[in-house]
Amino acid sequence: MATIRPIARLFLVAVFIATAFGKPAANDDSTWSEVDHSAQLAHKRARSAHAQSRTAPTDQERTPDYWTNMARASIDEALRLQTLNTNVAKNVVLFLGDGMGVSTVTTARILKGQKAGNPGEETVLAMDSLPYTAMSKTYNIDQQVPDSAGTATAFLCGVKAEAGVIGVDGRTRYGNCSSSKGHEAESIIVHAERAGKSTGIVTTARVTHATPASAYAHSAARGWEADSDLSAEARENNCTDIAYQLVEEAPDVEVILGGGRRMFTPRTATDPESGNNGDRNDGVDLIQRWQDGKTGRASYVWNGTDFRNVDPESTDYLLGLFEMSHMKYSADRDLTDPAEEPTIADMTRKAIEILQKNDNGFFLLVEGGRIDHGHHASQAVKALEDTLAFDDAVQVAKDMLDTSDSLIVVTADHSHTLTFAGYPDRGHPIFGKWESSQVKDDLPYTPLLYGTGPGYKITGNGTRHNITDIDTAYKEYTQQSAVPMTSDTHGGDDVIIMAGGPMAHLFHGVQEQHYITHVMMYAACLGEYTHDCDMRTPSVNPRHSRSAGMSRSARRGTYVITLITITSSLFVNF
């Protein structure tokens, strides 16, 4: 009997594992799915129409050792990360890809590889190589699918709020100035400046747009960028516009780079580049006000030539406004022109060079704002090219900063309705067309499509628009969409958080979006987390230091013994 019971226990363990992890019995739905997928694969093997675009797997990829070695390297890296970096973050850089959902990251990754002459799917973005990841829930407190103001308030100010509001808590009603009084939410920039750090904002959108504005302003409406935008109720209750707050009321931000000159200049002023007039009714030249208000070495620039001539060593403050409104799409830039406005990577580099002179460290917000605009137009080429430009900026920070004392976080405020589907072959051009016998109207389509947007077109006979003779890789091409709208909407799906540096391991699982601010402040010992520095260890978490020093074989042995102990205890009373 004593011999039978251990055997029975092992038998039950085997049954449990087989039941929990074995292949489930097929029901009607799964059977249909399997048969349908087999038919699709058979069709792919038989066709020859797309043979030129198809990339054959390499000889290495066909061998198990290739994938085993790759997995072993990843496991070794994961084991190395068990030694946690619990240093205080001297520097924090938050990269925000506006509208950069998971489908955007995936397809931009493929685009990067294809531009280098590779199939693309195997490529690694700069943001991909950050070791810790989590998912962020992006809803506003009043909307399932969020806007960029409410989300920016969450990841910069640490509180969720209504859609459309800037730097205020949930007691503020959108568009109601009086409801925002006394309900302002302080951003991480405020806390960083208070702690003696330098701060900076880099964006390809207007510097008064939703994301950057949430770093320094408090407003019941994101659209109140200039005084001419204020509602009558806002003026009656003495609410000020966002541009005015940046210059006159906000923390002393050292570096501000982006677009939006017209929000800072009066209607009587002529823009030096476009010849158009500004938006301000109050007659105030806020650019001149900014220059007059600086006691340190301050520079204002509005073009690429002057920007490149800025010497970081002799500059304490830098304001760069490179367009009347948003900056150019990456796809529209002429990078051979020395006077061309800077890229987001250029601005990030200059910002870090200026900010890192502060021995107390810095906080920097970098927004790829035009990713979102490309998606709104359903122009995937522009959106993905801007995503790659944004990733170049991430690489700049990784090259310039040491993650032993610098926390780098990459995330998005929300997603878009961009889909990536249709069984295209490995290496198929990411902006190319695809054909399939399963398409009922027998017309080609692009694997990149939008759920909503301006690309909805139906011909007179009720069929989809025929794109056979259209260059779908052209930057102005508008992807087809399922629902006709003037602009693609945001998506409500979770977005990814990628991080490396001190306390980056706190980004795990699925989190509310406001959690991002709190982790960054905890890592840098800012605000309410200042006292936590007294309890921090110099470099490693003592709970992990012992296992980190063990050999790999010893750790594996420990894991196996633990597993056997736990499993045996489940059946001790059998």
Side-chain angles (χ1 to χ4, degrees), residues 395-465:
Q395 186 63 58
V396 166
K398 291 180 63 179
D399 291 342
M400 295 182 70
L401 300 174
D402 188 339
T403 53
S404 67
D405 68 353
S406 297
L407 173 63
I408 298 174
V409 181
V410 182
T411 189
D413 47 359
H414 55 74
S415 182
H416 267 271
T417 72
L418 177 72
T419 63
F420 177 36
Y423 303 114
D425 284 334
R426 171 81 179 273
H428 180 74
I430 196 64
F431 298 129
K433 295 183 282 285
W434 191 251
E435 296 176 6
S436 170
S437 62
Q438 292 188 336
V439 177
K440 293 185 177 181
D441 59 12
D442 295 324
L443 295 176
Y445 64 95
T446 55
L448 300 185
L449 297 165
Y450 287 90
T452 63
Y456 179 91
K457 294 180 182 179
I458 297 295
T459 64
N461 60 7
T463 61
R464 277 190 309 124
H465 181 58

Side-chain angles (χ1 to χ4, degrees), residues 302-317:
W302 62 269
N303 60 69
T305 300
D306 290 345
F307 170 81
R308 292 177 182 89
N309 289 333
V310 171
D311 178 15
E313 289 301 318
S314 59
T315 303
D316 298 321
Y317 295 91

Side-chain angles (χ1 to χ4, degrees), residues 11-60:
F11 173 77
L12 286 175
V13 170
V15 171
F16 170 77
I17 293 173
T19 303
F21 303 106
K23 183 176 179 180
N27 55 29
D28 290 342
D29 290 338
S30 64
T31 301
W32 177 88
S33 176
E34 189 69 27
V35 171
D36 180 68
H37 187 58
S38 297
Q40 172 68 22
L41 291 175
H43 167 70
K44 288 181 65 170
R45 297 293 179 265
R47 72 172 186 275
S48 59
H50 300 285
Q52 291 182 343
S53 70
R54 186 175 183 182
T55 300
T58 65
D59 290 341
Q60 282 185 318

